[in-house]
């Protein structure tokens, strides 16, 4: 009898354990389905008028596309015939910019996708969204990292860590995490395929009085003691130079001087500046295009 009771208890225990495993499996599958549905619900539905204009052979991923230099670059690249996936945090603002640009009937088109590129989870969701919206996309012709900011004395809320994350660290993470869409080989079979261009735009502006705080984060010598700025491009330049994975790409680093943008006017409002003499966004966009397209080099050779 004791043996029989023991066998019954063992059998009941096995059945109970199996029931728990089945419940856990069902719960896991339910969560997967919910996550899949949640991801699918975040995938934007592109209007046919936009989808039909997308050229997957000329694609740009551009961050910081909702204002300032990023907005200017979006318009210039669409004008040159590119399909620009414009990224920024404010989707409503992005849509306004995209509508404004797409109504100009350029050869290209702008597709607005919302993401916070300083946030790892948001970057991962952006990658999934691009894969779902453009399943046939193989690579970006240009990866333009323009999301960034700067602060001056009258903005105590922005820390040195935040400036470094936005202007430097998040850009490095974008390059690493979106590497599957970067091409560094010219295929003999496909003559249309070109090497991806990585273009990075960063601010030289830091905050006065940040020397000690910044150097705690990035080391002694990170701040120009005369001009009081963080050179985020120097940080990225050093990183790219030390990582042999990026030797095959065409990389352009831009650190523009003060440019007439809403951000610059706000942050530098306490400084007497004649904004009529400050370069406009359109001027930088022209310079950018000349450099990345090779026109600047051609003009130099013609002059020689």
């Amino acid at each position: 009898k004791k043996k029989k009771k023991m066998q019954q208890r063992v059998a009941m225990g096995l059945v109970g354990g199996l029931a728990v495993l089945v419940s856990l499996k069902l719960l896991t599958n339910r969560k997967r389905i919910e996550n899949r549905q949640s991801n699918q619900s975040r995938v934007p539905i592109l209007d046919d008028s936009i989808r039909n204009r997308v050229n997957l052979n000329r694609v740009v991923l551009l961050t910081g596309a909702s204002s300032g230099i990023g907005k200017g670059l979006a318009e210039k690249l669409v004008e040159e015939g590119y399909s620009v996936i414009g990224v920024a945090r404010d989707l409503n603002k992005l849509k306004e910019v995209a509508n404004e640009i797409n109504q100009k009937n350029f050869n290209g088109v702008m597709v607005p996708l919302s993401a916070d590129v300083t946030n790892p989870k948001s970057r991962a969701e952006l990658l999934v969204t691009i894969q779902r919206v453009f399943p046939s996309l193989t690579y970006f012709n240009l990866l333009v990292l323009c999301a960034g900011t700067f602060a001056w004395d009258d903005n105590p809320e922005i820390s040195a860590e935040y400036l470094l994350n936005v202007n430097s660290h998040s850009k490095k993470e974008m390059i690493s995490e979106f590497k599957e869409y970067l091409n560094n080989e010219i295929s003999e079979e496909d003559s249309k395929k070109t090497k991806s261009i990585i273009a990075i735009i960063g601010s030289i502006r830091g905050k006065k009085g940040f020397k000690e705080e910044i150097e705690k984060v990035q080391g002694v010598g990170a701040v120009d003691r005369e001009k009081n700025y963080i050179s985020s491009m120097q940080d990225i330049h050093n990183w790219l130079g030390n990582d042999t994975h990026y030797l095959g790409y065409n990389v352009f680093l831009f650190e523009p001087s003060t440019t007439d943008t809403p951000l610059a006017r706000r942050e530098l409002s306490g400084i007497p500046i004649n904004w009529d003499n400050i370069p406009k966004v359109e001027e930088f966009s022209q310079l950018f295009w000349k450099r990345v397209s090779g026109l600047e080099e051609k003009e130099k050779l013609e002059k020689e």
Side-chain angles (χ1 to χ4, degrees):
K1 288 182 179 179
K2 287 182 179 179
K3 187 176 180 180
K4 193 172 183 179
K5 284 183 178 180
M6 182 63 72
Q7 288 175 341
Q8 288 175 343
R9 287 175 183 171
V10 170
M12 289 176 66
L14 288 172
V15 171
L18 184 61
V20 170
L21 288 174
V22 171
S23 297
L24 287 173
K25 182 70 174 176
L26 289 172
L27 182 61
T28 301
N29 287 339
R30 189 182 304 143
K31 284 185 176 179
R32 284 177 179 169
I33 292 170
E34 288 173 355
N35 287 337
R36 191 180 300 121
Q37 290 173 339
S38 176
N39 284 335
Q40 288 174 341
S41 69
R42 283 196 292 265
V43 176
I45 299 174
L46 296 186
D47 186 274
D48 286 342
S49 63
I50 293 179
R51 186 181 292 278
N52 295 337
R53 291 169 62 184
V54 172
N55 180 355
L56 294 180
N57 292 317
R58 288 172 66 83
V59 175
V60 178
L61 179 63
L62 168 65
T63 67
S66 63
S67 63
I69 289 176
K71 178 183 175 182
L73 292 179
E75 180 165 340
K76 179 61 182 173
L77 290 166
V78 170
E79 181 184 358
E80 295 296 335
Y82 284 93
S83 299
V84 177
I85 302 173
V87 179
R89 289 174 297 180
D90 190 333
L91 182 57
N92 290 330
K93 198 171 180 182
L94 261 180
K95 285 181 177 179
E96 289 177 7
V97 171
N99 288 335
E100 178 186 331
I101 292 174
N102 291 336
Q103 286 174 5
K104 295 185 178 182
N105 294 319
F106 292 133
N107 291 329
V109 66
M110 179 175 171
V111 179
L113 295 182
S114 175
D116 179 358
V117 295
T118 67
N119 183 295
K121 183 180 178 182
S122 187
R123 290 196 301 267
E125 289 176 351
L126 173 63
L127 184 58
V128 170
T129 300
I130 290 172
Q131 291 166 343
R132 291 183 182 277
V133 175
F134 306 104
S136 301
L137 176 63
T138 55
Y139 75 106
F140 301 132
N141 298 85
L142 284 91
L143 173 62
V144 184
L145 303 176
C146 191
T149 189
F150 71 88
W152 213 236
D153 286 342
D154 58 348
N155 193 337
E157 297 178 0
I158 295 182
S159 67
E161 287 86 351
Y162 177 78
L163 284 173
L164 289 169
N165 182 33
V166 174
N167 294 332
S168 178
H169 302 330
S170 65
K171 289 180 168 69
K172 293 188 284 188
E173 294 300 322
M174 280 289 294
I175 294 172
S176 298
E177 293 167 15
F178 284 73
K179 200 170 180 182
E180 66 179 87
Y181 282 115
L182 297 176
N183 176 56
N184 66 346
E185 296 180 355
I186 298 178
S187 172
E188 294 181 2
E189 293 79 18
D190 188 354
S191 59
K192 292 182 180 179
K193 201 167 186 179
T194 59
K195 286 187 178 182
S196 295
I197 294 174
I198 303 172
I200 310 171
I201 297 95
S203 174
I204 65 172
R205 294 285 188 183
K207 285 184 67 176
K208 291 181 179 179
F210 261 21
K211 295 185 182 70
E212 294 77 12
E213 187 178 350
I214 294 167
E215 290 184 347
K216 284 179 185 177
V217 177
Q218 198 163 327
V220 176
V223 182
D224 184 306
R225 292 187 174 277
E226 295 297 323
K227 299 178 182 176
N228 295 301
Y229 67 65
I230 309 169
S231 179
S232 54
M233 289 302 95
Q234 185 61 48
D235 179 42
I236 292 174
H237 179 272
N238 293 341
W239 173 70
L240 288 169
N242 292 328
D243 192 332
T244 56
H245 289 109
Y246 299 102
L247 291 178
Y249 298 102
N250 295 318
V251 181
F252 294 86
L253 304 182
F254 296 86
E255 207 165 51
S257 58
T258 301
T259 306
D260 189 358
T261 65
L263 173 64
R265 289 195 176 226
R266 184 177 71 242
E267 290 298 326
L268 303 175
S269 60
I271 301 173
I273 293 175
N274 184 351
W275 290 100
D276 292 336
N277 298 330
I278 299 299
K280 309 302 178 190
V281 167
E282 293 77 13
E283 294 175 56
F284 177 79
S285 298
Q286 290 288 349
L287 170 67
F288 172 91
W289 174 245
K290 277 190 173 184
R291 192 162 297 172
V292 299
S293 67
L295 287 175
E296 185 180 60
E297 191 64 28
K298 287 179 184 176
E299 289 178 359
K300 286 181 181 178
L301 291 173
E302 288 173 0
K303 287 180 180 178
E304 291 175 359

